[in-house]
Amino acid sequence: MTDRTPVSDADICIVGAGPAGSLVADRLAGAGYRVVVLDAGPRFDSAERLERQERAIRPYYDRPDVWDGDPERDAYSATGEWSYPLNHARVKGVGGSTLHWQGMVMRLHEADFNSGSERGVGPDWPIDYADLRPYYADAEAELGVSGADIPFGPPREDPHPMGAFPPSYSDSLFAEACDELGIAMHPVPNARNSESYGGRSECVGYGTCQPVCPSGAKYDGTVHAESAEAKGAAVIDRARVTELEHGPDRIEAAVYVTPDGTEHRQEADAFVLAAGGVEIPRLLLLSESEHYPDGLANSSGLVGRYFMDHLFAGAGGRLDEPTRQNHVGFLTSESHQFYDDADEEHAPFKLEFFNYAGPSPVEMALSGDDWGDEQLERLRNGYGDHVAVGALVEQLPREDSYVGLDPERTDDLGNPVPDVHWNVGDRALRTIERVNDIQHEILEALGADIQWTAGPESTGPAYHHMGTTRMSADPSEGVVDANLRTHDLENCWIASSSVFPTGGAMNPTLTIAALALKAADSIRTRL
């Protein structure tokens, strides 16, 4: 039976066992600290990877969730101008949402850290690229990143730990069109092994990368959760933290509930919140007291504020030749060429060349009621000639975009569920129009029959939760300082994309990992 009782004499208690919490735990346990990690979700057995792969490739409407979930426990509201399907792309469990992520890991650009100064909009971070640069290199080594030089990308100190994956067949088609238009393509940095690395297999091409990598070649947070345990850390799953007990300037204990309904108190000298951009502000707001009547660590009034996500822009169609789509389950080429053109009017964005446009032949076969030659003919007519170009676009932080507590609805423990109030500004929508124009130019140069466009009216989130406990030099303008320690509490750090003052347009996980390692260093200097 799993032991979910508190750990005595803990130095550090970490809330959340995703990549951030697990990296901090691994680093500090390796330095000799007594570490306990509390995660609300379960452990998923790696031996079930093949079963989960089979579930994942069934048609969406004809399969149970690949990752277990409790609708009542994980309930939420979405009351903003824009709909936000929170549970569509998050996982509660040891490993966090890296259990079903794409695995793309690129650094933010230098100007992303100084948006206000460089672009005239948004705040500057209290750190710059140079401050995070050594942590980026450390994070790439920890996760295991395959990549190559990035034209128009930020400066690097050394090559990626592994060489890049070769471009896919459809990438070679896009390359001809991009050469004609003068657009530079380059390999996508991926947290998946192009060769054996870190005791994990090289990629063997299952093609079901999101959500499931059966071989374990793609990194997920369990890698460092298990490493931390091997170094003496305790990782307690199904431990739902409901409150942080505290005095005026310190957290004293994390109160958590186990599946049998028992409430426990985990005391520690230091606490790290690493439960993501929605659950971290929720926990802080639930921990209100006479010292913090508006929520813990919230003297600025900004806990939960400035919720951001990346917006998707895309276009696709069909060619009159094979494209071999859906043979590769992850992106192998992108372009940052237009990224640093960002200014007050237009946001930064990166282009992505899809390897999985159009229907999957497996899903087509499973969803039909035909057989034999009739099915074969249907698959031949519907599969294999699709192409698409996607993009991520930055959303500026807005105070009216926030994560709060629902005033009426509660979860199964009686606590208010999170209310995601997501609003998007005109700058991002103008940028999507510009992106669509470029994407159409590429597809037209390719000779594609353009059949769909995800533009300003049909865009949606990339499910990158950012900005709800922003970093700031001035305590009145944010929640944590440049070392990820909360302004209000001397023994509480936050390791999450929730500390991003701006989001840029790069997938956030590598920056999350770099900040987690920076937080671990900060904690070591304080204990």
Side-chain angles (χ1 to χ4, degrees):
M1 182 176 178
T2 301
D3 182 8
R4 296 189 173 92
T5 58
V7 174
S8 61
D9 300 322
D11 297 311
I12 298 123
C13 173
I14 301 170
V15 181
S22 295
L23 274 166
V24 174
D26 181 63
R27 187 58 55 94
L28 294 178
Y33 293 98
R34 188 163 175 79
V35 178
V36 56
V37 185
L38 306 173
D39 196 276
R43 294 175 186 263
F44 294 99
D45 188 349
S46 60
E48 297 177 354
R49 287 182 185 271
L50 285 173
E51 178 185 347
R52 292 188 181 279
Q53 176 202 35
E54 292 174 359
R55 292 166 63 185
I57 63 176
R58 296 175 194 168
Y60 181 79
Y61 52 83
D62 189 36
R63 63 173 171 84
D65 289 338
V66 176
W67 306 104
D68 301 335
D70 182 337
E72 189 64 28
R73 183 194 73 182
D74 298 333
Y76 69 95
S77 300
T79 62
E81 296 173 5
W82 289 65
S83 173
Y84 202 92
L86 178 62
N87 289 343
H88 180 73
R90 69 170 179 167
V91 176
K92 286 189 177 181
V94 175
S97 292
T98 53
L99 292 170
H100 76 160
W101 68 320
Q102 270 278 354
M104 294 184 285
V105 281
M106 53 285 298
R107 303 180 180 192
L108 288 173
H109 283 216
E110 291 172 287
D112 287 323
F113 294 89
N114 302 288
S115 183
S117 301
E118 299 271 343
R119 297 167 179 159
V121 287
D124 288 349
W125 292 46
I127 60 174
D128 58 25
Y129 179 78
D131 294 319
L132 208 56
R133 187 169 171 176
Y135 292 105
Y136 271 135
D138 195 358
E140 287 168 344
E142 288 289 344
L143 271 59
V145 177
S146 303
D149 289 341
I150 299 177
F152 305 99
R156 297 185 55 82
E157 50 295 311
D158 293 304
H160 291 85
M162 291 172 280
F165 286 91
S168 68
Y169 178 77
S170 62
D171 286 347
S172 68
L173 301 179
F174 278 118
E176 296 178 12
C178 286
D179 284 346
E180 179 182 329
L181 297 170
I183 296 174
M185 297 173 61
H186 63 80
V188 175
N190 274 285
R192 55 173 48 78
N193 294 347
S194 60
E195 58 190 70
S196 295
Y197 184 90
R200 308 192 326 270
S201 161
E202 67 178 328
C203 175
V204 293
Y206 276 99
T208 60
C209 306
Q210 189 176 22
V212 181
C213 173
S215 70
K218 183 180 68 172
Y219 173 85
D220 65 63
T222 63
V223 169
H224 283 99
E226 292 170 2
S227 176
E229 286 183 298
K231 296 171 183 176
V235 178
I236 303 176
D237 70 329
R238 300 183 189 270
R240 297 168 59 187
V241 179
T242 58
E243 181 186 1
L244 298 170
E245 292 184 354
H246 60 274
D249 55 12
R250 291 180 62 84
I251 295 177
E252 298 166 357
V255 178
Y256 66 95
V257 179
T258 50
D260 62 2
T262 303
E263 187 174 274
H264 301 274
R265 294 177 72 259
Q266 177 62 61
E267 298 179 353
D269 295 327
F271 291 80
V272 181
L273 307 185
V278 173
E279 295 299 331
I280 290 174
R282 181 193 183 207
L283 178 57
L284 292 173
L285 293 172
L286 286 173
S287 302
E288 63 181 2
S289 69
E290 60 177 323
H291 302 295
Y292 296 97
D294 297 319
L296 184 58
N298 197 23
S299 64
S300 65
L302 297 179
V303 166
R305 297 288 172 178
Y306 301 111
F307 176 73
M308 299 175 289
D309 204 322
H310 294 129
L311 294 161
F312 176 76
R318 303 181 77 169
L319 297 179
D320 59 2
E321 62 177 296
T323 61
R324 301 181 188 172
Q325 291 288 293
N326 279 300
H327 282 218
V328 181
F330 58 95
L331 302 184
T332 49
S333 292
E334 62 180 1
S335 176
H336 294 189
Q337 181 160 335
F338 307 96
Y339 195 94
D340 288 326
D341 293 343
D343 55 20
E344 294 182 41
E345 292 296 310
H346 292 97
F349 66 89
K350 66 166 176 123
L351 296 173
E352 302 173 336
F353 300 92
F354 283 3
N355 296 320
Y356 42 81
S360 157
V362 176
E363 289 190 1
M364 290 178 67
L366 291 172
S367 62
D369 56 6
D370 49 5
W371 300 90
D373 291 342
E374 182 180 351
Q375 184 187 80
L376 179 60
E377 185 65 20
R378 179 170 63 85
L379 266 60
R380 283 175 171 169
N381 290 334
Y383 162 75
D385 58 358
H386 293 77
V387 287
V389 189
L392 291 186
V393 174
E394 179 188 58
Q395 171 199 350
L396 281 175
R398 295 165 54 114
E399 193 166 355
D400 66 348
S401 189
Y402 62 84
V403 173
L405 299 179
D406 189 280
E408 298 179 357
R409 189 173 184 184
T410 59
D411 63 16
D412 60 323
L413 295 179
N415 292 317
V417 302
D419 172 23
V420 181
H421 197 92
W422 187 41
N423 293 334
V424 175
D426 292 339
R427 179 175 180 257
L429 301 181
R430 283 194 301 271
T431 306
I432 291 173
E433 291 180 345
R434 182 184 179 215
V435 172
N436 289 156
D437 288 343
I438 296 170
Q439 291 168 332
H440 286 181
E441 288 181 7
I442 294 170
L443 292 170
E444 288 166 1
L446 197 58
D449 174 21
I450 300 174
Q451 297 184 340
W452 62 269
T453 299
E457 296 180 355
S458 56
T459 185
Y463 307 103
H464 300 154
H465 309 148
M466 302 176 288
T468 53
T469 61
R470 71 192 304 182
M471 186 192 304
S472 68
D474 185 339
S476 69
E477 296 179 357
V479 179
V480 303
D481 64 18
N483 291 313
L484 293 308
R485 190 175 66 143
T486 57
H487 290 299
D488 295 347
L489 302 162
E490 64 183 27
N491 70 335
C492 179
W493 284 258
I494 297 179
S496 169
S497 54
S498 66
V499 307
F500 289 16
T502 56
M506 296 297 170
N507 304 63
T509 303
L510 187 68
T511 303
I512 294 171
L515 290 170
L517 295 170
K518 180 176 172 62
D521 276 356
S522 174
I523 293 167
R524 292 180 65 178
T525 66
R526 301 289 301 190
L527 294 184

